[in-house]
Amino acid sequence: MSETNLVNDAKIAFIGAGNMAAAIIAGLVKQGVAPANIEVCAPSEGNRARLASEYGVVHSADNNAAAAKADILVLAVKPQMMREVCAQLAEHRNPNSVILSVAAGITCQSLANWLATPAQAAENIAVVRTMPNTPSHIGLGACGLFASSAVAQTQKDQAQAIMAAVGLAVWVNSEDEINIVTAVSGSGPAYFFLVFETMIDAAEKMGLDRQTAAQLTLQTALGAAKLAQTSKDDAVTLRKKVTSPNGTTERAIASFEQNKLRETFAAAMQACSDRAQQLATELAK
C-alpha cells in the first residue's frame, strides 16, 4: 500500500501557495491523492489559479473556511508571516486537525501558542514541524520531521505520507535535532551547488570548456550519490576504494586534508545549525 493511501480520505488545506506548497501538492496528486480533497489558499489569485489549473485542486482566498474543513492543515507561509496567520486561524480551524508546518525556524511550541484558544489549550494542539529542501520540487527531497506530544500515531503517519510524496521523510527524536537537519539537508543542496560551481570553475581554468566541465561534474555527482545510496559500503569505504596508493585521487584527497576540508564543512554546518536556533528564538518573541 502506498503511504499516500493514508491521506486519500483526508481533507488537506494548504495555507500558502509558494514553491514548497506547489511541490508537495504535485507529489500528492502524482501519487493518487484526489485533487478534490486538496484546497490551497493564498492572497494571490494568480498563484491559486495556477495550482488549480495544473493539478485540479480546489482554491480559495478564505483561509478560515478551508482550515475549518481540514483534517490536515499545512502551513506553508513565510516565517515572518506565521504568527499573524495562526492568530487569524485560531478560532476557525478544525480543532481535531494536525498542523503540518514547512516554515523554517518556527518551533512547535510557538505554533501551538499562536493557535491556542480558550477552548483548546496549546498543549492539546497537534503540531508536526518539518524541514524539507529544494530537491522536493523534483520528487527527490530529504525532509526531517518532529511531532509534538499531542500528535496521535495516525496523524504522524499522515504527516509522513505527505512529506514522503516528495522524497525521503525521516523522524527525529527531539526538536533541537531539526536544527541539525537544517544544517545537513535543509541547507545542504547549497553546499553541493557550491562544490559544483567550484569544480566547474577549476576545470575551466585548467583548460576544459565550461559546458564539458559542467556535464562531467554533474554526472559525477549524480553517479557518486547513486553509488553511495545503493552500495553496501559506507562513504569511508567507497572513498578508500577510489583512492589508490600514490595515485591521482590520493594526491587530491591529501590536498583537501591539508587544507582542512573536514574542519571547514564542520564549521559551516555548525554555523547553519546555530543560525537556525537563533531564528527560532527571534521568531518566538
Side-chain angles (χ1 to χ4, degrees):
M1 179 184 295
S2 169
E3 282 189 314
T4 47
N5 287 342
L6 296 166
V7 296
N8 276 355
D9 297 325
K11 296 294 184 182
I12 309 170
F14 285 80
I15 308 300
N19 290 335
M20 191 55 67
I24 297 170
I25 289 168
L28 289 171
V29 172
K30 183 178 180 180
Q31 294 201 21
V33 175
N37 286 340
I38 301 172
E39 184 167 359
V40 59
C41 297
S44 169
E45 169 66 23
N47 285 347
R48 301 195 313 266
R50 174 176 55 84
L51 292 176
S53 174
E54 289 184 15
Y55 306 112
V57 298
V58 179
H59 71 102
S60 168
D62 191 341
N63 291 356
N64 293 338
K69 295 178 288 185
D71 301 303
I72 303 165
L73 183 59
V74 183
L75 300 180
V77 300
K78 293 179 180 179
Q80 294 80 3
M81 298 171 56
M82 188 65 80
R83 184 195 292 260
E84 180 183 354
V85 169
C86 288
Q88 293 170 353
L89 293 173
E91 294 283 355
H92 303 277
R93 68 175 188 85
N94 173 7
N96 297 316
S97 64
V98 58
I99 309 301
L100 186 62
S101 170
V102 299
I106 308 289
T107 65
C108 291
Q109 188 62 61
S110 290
L111 290 166
N113 288 342
W114 299 338
L115 289 164
T117 67
Q120 188 176 40
E123 60 266 25
N124 296 324
I125 298 175
V127 179
V128 174
R129 182 179 171 190
T130 75
M131 174 47 61
N133 64 5
T134 54
S136 299
H137 300 159
I138 59 168
L140 293 174
C143 177
L145 304 92
F146 175 78
S148 69
S149 59
V151 179
Q153 185 58 52
T154 299
Q155 293 173 323
K156 285 188 69 174
D157 293 341
Q158 289 175 325
Q160 170 89 26
I162 287 176
M163 299 314 297
V166 290
L168 176 70
V170 297
W171 293 93
V172 296
N173 296 317
S174 71
E175 190 164 8
D176 286 344
E177 290 181 41
I178 286 288
N179 296 327
I180 304 174
V181 172
T182 302
V184 177
S185 55
S187 298
Y191 312 159
F192 288 104
F193 297 150
L194 179 59
V195 171
F196 301 162
E197 178 186 345
T198 302
M199 289 180 66
I200 292 166
D201 287 346
E204 186 178 26
K205 288 179 181 178
M206 294 168 70
L208 280 182
D209 68 85
R210 192 164 187 84
Q211 182 178 2
T212 300
Q215 287 178 322
L216 291 173
T217 296
L218 298 182
Q219 183 64 26
T220 299
L222 178 64
K226 192 64 179 179
L227 180 59
Q229 191 176 55
T230 57
S231 176
K232 295 180 180 178
D233 294 328
D234 62 16
V236 174
T237 303
L238 289 171
R239 173 180 58 78
K240 289 180 177 178
K241 284 184 174 181
V242 181
T243 310
S244 303
N246 298 316
T248 56
T249 307
E250 185 183 63
R251 188 65 60 88
I253 296 296
S255 179
F256 283 138
E257 299 285 16
Q258 183 178 352
N259 287 286
K260 301 188 181 302
L261 179 68
R262 294 176 191 271
E263 291 86 344
T264 298
F265 261 89
M269 292 174 67
Q270 186 64 57
C272 181
S273 180
D274 290 346
R275 179 55 179 157
Q277 179 60 54
Q278 184 182 30
L279 283 173
T281 302
E282 291 173 358
L283 292 167
K285 294 178 181 178

